[in-house]
Amino acid sequence: MARAAFAATSEAVPLDAIAREAGVGIGTLYRHFPTREALVEAVYAAELDEVVSSAPAFLADLAPEAALRAWMDRYAAFFQIKRGMSDTLRAGWASGSIATPATRERITAAIALMLRSGAQAGSLRSDVASEDVTMMLLGVFLSTTASDSPERVGQLLDLVVDALRPQAARNT
């Protein structure tokens, strides 16, 4: 429930609204998450774990290029949820009340896994650093707003995937 509430807006979400949406009282919410920071940290950590672990899962079911594109959609959803938590995350990281996760490193490692698989299959370029793809994705997410349509974000992600195809594949 908290994930959906954070994804719905880039504004701070009142905790009583999250409790109400979850069908619990505010006291129950506070027993599990004594502070806003504790709730945000738990949601963020769970989302990050899911994004990172979805990369091998997508590769198990899809061709590398399709797996990468599907994973990008999952990462976009994570970024959307993160927008609703951004103020709390920044303040918590600055104060030390929220642990600073190795987000970029974990995301970059997931991308590297898919790039290697795609390079071996010949469907993705072998000369692109996973760090560069991470930066391209952040550019897409930071240049779009919460009010941009998912279709717009999807079009930009399609362009990123197109840039990652070998030159011969882009010319066909």
Side-chain angles (χ1 to χ4, degrees):
M1 297 300 164
R3 290 176 191 193
F6 290 128
T9 182
S10 60
E11 305 295 319
V13 179
L15 293 182
D16 60 336
I18 292 172
R20 193 171 39 256
E21 182 69 27
V24 299
I26 193 71
T28 301
L29 181 70
Y30 277 116
R31 272 192 296 285
H32 293 282
F33 305 102
T35 64
R36 171 180 291 282
E37 290 81 10
L39 175 62
V40 165
E41 183 176 28
V43 171
Y44 185 88
E47 277 294 300
L48 179 59
D49 287 347
E50 287 181 25
V51 169
V52 171
S53 68
S54 69
F58 282 128
L59 281 171
D61 293 336
L62 302 168
E65 184 180 338
L68 177 61
R69 183 59 183 84
W71 182 85
M72 287 179 178
D73 284 335
R74 179 61 185 93
Y75 185 31
F78 167 71
F79 204 89
Q80 184 67 27
I81 291 167
K82 185 178 167 184
R83 284 184 178 171
M85 302 184 289
S86 61
D87 290 340
T88 303
L89 285 168
R90 275 193 294 276
W93 290 331
S95 71
S97 64
I98 297 178
T100 306
T103 303
R104 186 169 297 189
E105 293 83 2
R106 294 179 68 195
I107 293 295
T108 300
I111 292 168
L113 173 70
M114 290 180 284
L115 288 177
R116 278 192 306 275
S117 182
Q120 290 171 347
S123 61
L124 296 172
R125 293 170 53 179
S126 61
D127 64 336
V128 176
S130 54
E131 294 85 2
D132 293 342
V133 177
T134 300
M135 295 302 291
M136 290 184 343
L137 293 174
L138 289 174
V140 167
F141 301 144
L142 292 172
S143 67
T144 56
T145 65
S147 62
D148 281 321
S149 71
E151 293 79 20
R152 173 83 173 128
V153 174
Q155 290 168 340
L156 294 171
L157 294 177
D158 288 343
L159 288 172
V160 171
V161 171
D162 190 47
L164 296 173
R165 288 186 184 105
Q167 187 67 35
R170 286 184 277 160
N171 291 334
T172 57

